[in-house]
Amino acid sequence: MKGFIAITCIVTGALLATGCATKKYVRNTAAPIQAKVDQVGEQTNRNGQSIEDTRTQVKQVDEKAQSGISAAQERASTADQHAGAADQHAATADQHAGEAMNRATQAASSADQANRGLDGLRQVVSNIDDYKLQSSVAVAFKFNQYSLSPDAKQDLDKLAGEVKSDKRFFIAVEGYTDNIGDKQYNEALSQRRADTVVQYLVAKHDIPIYRIHMIGLGDEKPVEEGRNRAARAKNRRVELKVFTADQVTASLGASPAGGSSAPPQQ
């Protein structure tokens, strides 16, 4: 019995010793593996953090890219607006240039007409000695009026009939008033009276306007110096004087060479 117990103890001790050795072996064997596992876990964690950091960076880059795209689109839209405004300004500038060109053309045309008129006037002056007074008439007006009376129209009709057959003539038309009223007003009234006479001759009898020289002289050159009613009535008038060179041409038998016999132009 004692021997059995002893053997049992020996076996148990051996088992215990073997168990302790096994645990130690397992620990020694597992420790490196656990360390490796821990290392792999840490590496995995770091990789996971790296991936997360990379995602964050990608997101930031994407956000910056989106912001840059939006800013570029906004700049492009602003540039389009500026381009549209520039096109509109260019169109306006073209329009102004066209208007300026039209005004320049009109000015050139006016200058042309003025030059032709000046040439005509020079021709009148050069030939003025050829023109002689052929006839004259005085058209009367009522106080402060510039409309033609029936008698005035008859006088103008007669004068127009006399000059229609002439080739070289001009008519001097001088408007006058009496001495009542403001001097400036009287000058304007005398001009209106002369205008009325000229309009009648041109519209009614087709007298060319370039053959008429017109002026308003107010109360200058009165035909009657008296201050009574009769004297003032005589001064309210328009005098017409017809000058012609046809008689000179007829006496010479032909017009002078070089075309100097052309009719005067206003």
Side-chain angles (χ1 to χ4, degrees):
M1 184 66 176
K2 290 181 180 178
F4 177 76
I5 293 171
I7 291 171
T8 301
C9 290
I10 291 169
V11 173
T12 303
L15 291 172
L16 290 173
T18 301
C20 290
T22 300
K23 289 181 179 179
K24 184 176 180 181
Y25 174 78
V26 170
R27 281 198 302 272
N28 291 337
T29 302
I33 296 173
Q34 184 63 44
K36 191 67 176 178
V37 170
D38 291 341
Q39 184 179 1
V40 171
E42 290 176 359
Q43 183 67 33
T44 301
N45 289 337
R46 285 197 295 271
N47 290 340
Q49 184 64 41
S50 297
I51 292 172
E52 187 63 30
D53 291 343
T54 301
R55 287 176 178 171
T56 302
Q57 292 174 1
V58 169
K59 184 178 180 181
Q60 291 174 351
V61 170
D62 184 62
E63 290 175 351
K64 289 181 180 179
Q66 290 296 331
S67 176
I69 291 172
S70 298
Q73 288 176 343
E74 183 176 355
R75 287 194 295 271
S77 177
T78 303
D80 286 342
Q81 292 177 358
H82 290 169
D87 286 342
Q88 186 175 2
H89 291 163
T92 303
D94 286 343
Q95 182 180 358
H96 290 169
E99 292 173 354
M101 183 64 71
N102 289 338
R103 288 195 293 271
T105 302
Q106 292 174 359
S109 176
S110 298
D112 254 0
Q113 292 178 358
N115 287 334
R116 287 197 298 270
L118 183 59
D119 289 342
L121 181 59
R122 286 170 178 165
Q123 194 171 21
V124 170
V125 173
S126 66
N127 297 334
I128 195 66
D129 290 340
D130 291 344
Y131 288 84
K132 305 299 180 183
L133 179 64
Q134 174 178 306
S135 61
S136 64
V137 63
V139 176
F141 288 84
K142 294 182 179 180
F143 177 74
N144 200 31
Q145 293 186 15
Y146 53 90
S147 58
L148 294 173
S149 66
D151 290 341
K153 290 180 180 180
Q154 288 182 3
D155 291 339
L156 294 176
D157 293 341
K158 181 180 178 182
L159 180 141
E162 292 173 352
V163 301
K164 278 189 174 181
S165 60
D166 293 336
K167 298 183 181 300
R168 302 175 62 206
F169 73 92
F170 70 91
I171 305 173
V173 179
E174 301 173 356
Y176 296 98
T177 67
D178 58 28
N179 58 4
I180 295 179
D182 178 73
K183 186 175 185 64
Q184 187 175 1
Y185 177 83
N186 283 340
E187 288 177 355
L189 178 59
S190 68
Q191 183 69 37
R192 286 194 291 269
R193 287 173 175 170
D195 286 340
T196 300
V197 170
V198 172
Q199 288 177 10
Y200 185 82
L201 291 175
V202 173
K204 179 73 174 178
H205 294 285
D206 297 324
I207 302 296
I209 187 64
Y210 64 82
R211 293 188 180 275
I212 302 175
H213 299 261
M214 176 185 63
I215 190 172
L217 296 174
D219 59 3
E220 300 293 333
K221 298 171 66 174
V223 293
E224 184 70 53
E225 293 290 348
R227 305 184 67 87
N228 56 42
R229 180 178 298 179
R232 290 196 298 270
K234 290 181 180 180
N235 292 331
R236 295 192 296 267
R237 72 202 188 278
V238 169
E239 292 184 1
L240 294 91
K241 299 175 182 178
V242 179
F243 294 85
T244 180
D246 284 350
Q247 294 176 354
V248 175
T249 302
S251 65
L252 294 175
S255 298
S260 62
S261 62
Q265 298 181 1
Q266 184 175 8

